[in-house]
Amino acid sequence: MGSMRDTIKKHEDFIMTETDLSARCAGFLIRARATRFPGDARYGLVATKKTFRHAVDRNRAKRMLRVWIRHNESWLDDDRDYVFIARPSILTWGRTDGQVAMKKALRYLRKQKIAPAQ
């Protein structure tokens, strides 16, 4: 398996736009948009203090997302950046549930047409 894609670091790259595609389920939300750097698509993880008061929970939520993303890497499109946003119930999920839900969400996003990056 190759290396994971780069992560999104800049705040403005996390901000949602009208043209973003999104897929949601109980444990997380995924947003996708055309990447600004073709051939170097990135992903970002969000677990806010508002959603998870304790750092240990924020870290766990992000770790779970990372594992599920890695498991479903083949479903990530090379010309899209993805932002994964953890929701509170993610902490109650098992590994298999998460992997299955992630695959479903990414497959759904793959079918959606995306606006080109500005």
Side-chain angles (χ1 to χ4, degrees):
M1 197 180 78
S3 64
M4 258 321 243
R5 49 178 62 196
D6 271 347
T7 53
I8 296 173
K9 311 213 173 41
K10 293 219 289 295
H11 176 74
E12 67 256 26
D13 292 340
F14 279 101
I15 296 168
M16 186 136 193
T17 64
E18 275 71 78
T19 55
D20 285 0
L21 301 175
S22 67
R24 62 185 66 223
C25 67
F28 56 86
L29 170 73
I30 306 176
R31 297 199 327 256
R33 66 170 66 120
T35 183
R36 290 229 309 276
F37 313 102
D40 188 22
R42 302 163 307 160
Y43 79 101
L45 302 174
V46 179
T48 63
K49 273 189 179 156
K50 194 171 150 190
T51 308
F52 305 98
R53 260 203 10 254
H54 303 291
V56 61
D57 292 335
R58 289 194 295 279
N59 294 338
R60 182 155 164 254
K62 286 172 155 179
R63 196 165 53 245
M64 291 164 84
L65 285 172
R66 253 182 237 112
V67 168
W68 302 341
I69 292 164
R70 200 164 287 135
H71 181 79
N72 288 296
E73 222 170 341
S74 60
W75 290 101
L76 296 175
D77 284 325
D78 293 338
D79 56 353
R80 292 181 181 181
D81 284 347
Y82 294 87
V83 175
F84 298 86
I85 301 155
R87 300 172 93 179
S89 70
I90 194 171
L91 297 176
T92 65
W93 285 34
R95 173 173 285 205
T96 314
D97 301 330
Q99 288 174 348
V100 169
M102 180 71 71
K103 179 175 179 177
K104 249 174 80 172
L106 289 171
R107 277 175 57 188
Y108 167 80
L109 284 173
R110 178 167 276 185
K111 291 187 196 121
Q112 313 304 305
K113 288 285 166 269
I114 204 158
Q118 262 67 54

